[in-house]
Amino acid sequence: GAQPQSRLTMDAAGNLYGTTSQDGRFCSYGPCGTVFELLAATRKLKVLHSFCDGFDCRDGKAPTAGLTMDASGNLYGTTTAGGGNDLDDQNGGGVIYKIDTAGKFSVLYRFCAKRNCTDGDGPAGELMLDAAGHLYGTTRAGGAHNQGVAFELLSRN
């Protein structure tokens, strides 16, 4: 990956987690990105997920925000594009994703990519997690006036 743009998140063991908005294993052009871990004990970098760069990337692409970690060590983040809704605008509306403690990547939500989508388009900031496991964030487009929305994703517990 290349072009890390956000803060790092640290776990109890001192390992650091972050994102890059460009490049990665499946990237040949354009915004792709990675989620990475820097191991404190060995100072080795480990890529936890590489995003794709093609049309209709279902897992999202271009993560520009940092990661949020829950008490169990699961990581949550967003991508500003991709998500499988690319048919409307070539970029897709972005996703909310989770990487669990076993390293399994999953998409929790795919944003719409049409103009004035009520759920928003292009989440750009870091997520906030409350005690009940609900995630909160903002998008840079979509909504009634295409100026973005504040959203809540309810916990699936």
Side-chain angles (χ1 to χ4, degrees):
Q3 296 187 17
Q5 299 179 24
S6 60
R7 72 170 174 85
L8 297 171
T9 299
M10 184 184 291
D11 67 12
N15 300 313
L16 297 173
Y17 300 88
T19 61
T20 65
S21 63
Q22 301 289 316
D23 295 338
R25 182 175 178 202
F26 305 111
C27 192
S28 58
Y29 69 93
C32 310
T34 65
V35 177
F36 65 87
E37 175 183 23
L38 182 59
L39 300 167
T42 62
R43 298 184 186 224
K44 299 277 184 187
L45 185 73
K46 177 180 176 184
V47 175
L48 301 176
H49 187 76
S50 287
F51 296 93
C52 77
D53 67 354
F55 179 74
D56 209 25
C57 293
R58 296 204 41 82
D59 65 339
K61 57 187 174 182
T64 58
L67 299 165
T68 299
M69 183 181 289
D70 68 15
S72 299
N74 299 304
L75 299 168
Y76 300 88
T78 61
T79 67
T80 59
N85 296 318
D86 299 13
L87 300 176
D88 299 319
D89 77 347
Q90 301 293 314
N91 288 318
V95 303
I96 301 171
Y97 62 87
K98 174 183 178 179
I99 300 178
D100 68 19
T101 55
K104 181 183 174 209
F105 177 92
S106 58
V107 173
L108 301 179
Y109 189 80
R110 290 181 172 89
F111 289 89
C112 171
K114 295 178 181 175
R115 185 166 177 79
N116 300 329
C117 287
T118 58
D119 68 341
D121 177 359
E126 294 174 12
L127 296 171
M128 187 180 97
L129 182 68
D130 72 10
H134 301 176
L135 292 166
Y136 300 87
T138 58
T139 68
R140 61 183 179 196
H145 303 287
N146 204 38
Q147 298 297 310
V149 300
F151 63 83
E152 173 186 24
L153 181 67
L154 301 177
S155 171
R156 295 179 181 204
N157 295 335

